[in-house]
């Protein structure tokens, strides 16, 4: 019998692969998916503390909070593409600052949070000014983290139980056993995502997809 955790991990991997290979090409659909995942993940992580404060603990309350957080994230993401791209760009920028840059330039502790804030600010600026590049980078990065298993259901559960962000930090050079070999799966998927999405733009498939998908629109030339 397939466990709930197994289904959740499978869903995260599938969502990650969609973002890796087709993120920027799917335009507002990708932004909405990012918004949903970020909203649901955030709600899943902080909901127990908030629900406990108002006396609404339990599985049902948590499920409602996760779905509501995801829907709010998706709705906000759909409002305006450039603004919506800035939000996940800021999140990923802060994440990169915290997980990748901070360990290099600081010894940990409180100093890593200003680095994360600067990363988030830089990500937001890039998201607004270079929409196409930002969405390609963000969807490849976040998708690779999900598809490689670096951001798994167990990682979100550990972050919720802390609560702490440590289980959600990805080592970009970490290896994953694949067919008996240690493969830097996250890094490989991230690079593949960047290249494949750049290829979709160059071949004109982005415009074709935008013409077919209801409500979608091709990204402008920025980035």
């Amino acid at each position: 019998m397939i466990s709930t955790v197994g289904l959740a991990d499978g869903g995260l991997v599938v969502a990650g692969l969609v973002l890796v290979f087709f993120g920027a090409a799917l335009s507002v659909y990708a932004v909405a998916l990012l918004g949903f995942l970020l909203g649901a993940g955030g709600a899943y992580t902080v909901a127990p503390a908030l629900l406990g404060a108002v006396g609404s603990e339990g599985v049902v309350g948590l499920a409602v909070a996760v779905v509501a957080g995801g829907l709010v994230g998706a709705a906000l993401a759909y409002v305006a593409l450039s603004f919506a791209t800035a939000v996940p760009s800021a999140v990923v920028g802060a994440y990169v600052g915290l997980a990748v840059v901070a360990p290099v330039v600081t010894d940990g502790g409180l100093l890593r949070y200003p680095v994360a804030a600067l990363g988030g600010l830089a990500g937001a600026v890039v998201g607004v000014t270079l929409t196409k590049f930002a969405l390609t980078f963000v969807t490849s990065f976040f998708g690779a983290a999900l598809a490689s298993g670096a951001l798994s259901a167990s990682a979100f559960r550990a972050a919720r139980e802390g609560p702490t962000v440590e289980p959600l930090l990805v080592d970009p050079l970490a290896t994953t056993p694949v067919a008996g070999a240690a493969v830097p799966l996250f890094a490989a998927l991230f690079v593949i995502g960047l290249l494949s999405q750049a290829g979709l733009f160059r071949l004109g498939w982005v415009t074709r997809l935008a013409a077919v998908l209801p409500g979608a629109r091709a990204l402008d030339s920025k980035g």
Side-chain angles (χ1 to χ4, degrees):
M1 184 175 179
I2 301 176
S3 67
T4 303
V5 174
L7 287 174
D9 281 332
L12 291 176
V13 169
V14 171
L17 290 174
V18 170
L19 290 174
V20 164
F21 290 104
F22 305 106
L26 294 177
S27 181
V28 291
Y29 286 88
V31 174
L33 177 58
L34 272 174
F36 181 87
L37 291 172
L38 291 174
Y44 180 81
T45 303
V46 304
L50 297 178
L51 292 175
V54 298
S56 299
E57 296 177 286
V59 176
V60 175
L62 179 61
V64 171
V66 169
V67 173
L71 292 177
V72 169
L76 291 177
Y78 193 84
V79 172
L81 185 57
S82 293
F83 173 76
T85 305
V87 176
S89 295
V91 173
V92 171
Y95 186 89
V96 171
L98 190 62
V100 180
V101 180
V104 176
V105 300
T106 73
D107 294 326
L110 296 178
L111 286 178
R112 59 183 180 167
Y113 295 110
V115 174
L118 289 175
L121 179 61
V125 171
V126 172
V128 172
T129 58
L130 299 173
T131 305
K132 183 173 70 177
F133 170 80
L135 190 55
T136 299
F137 182 92
V138 168
T139 53
S140 296
F141 184 93
F142 194 56
L146 292 172
S148 66
L151 287 180
S152 62
S154 59
F156 282 102
R157 186 168 59 252
R160 181 193 67 187
E161 292 172 352
T164 175
V165 298
E166 299 297 335
L168 301 179
L169 300 183
V170 175
D171 180 357
L173 299 179
T175 58
T176 302
V178 178
V183 178
L185 191 56
F186 167 80
L189 286 171
F190 176 58
V191 172
I192 290 172
L194 290 177
L195 295 177
S196 64
Q197 292 192 51
L200 288 176
F201 276 106
R202 186 170 294 276
L203 294 173
W205 280 98
V206 173
T207 303
R208 298 178 190 178
L209 285 172
V212 173
L213 295 174
R217 55 186 183 275
L219 297 174
D220 57 31
S221 59
K222 292 189 295 182

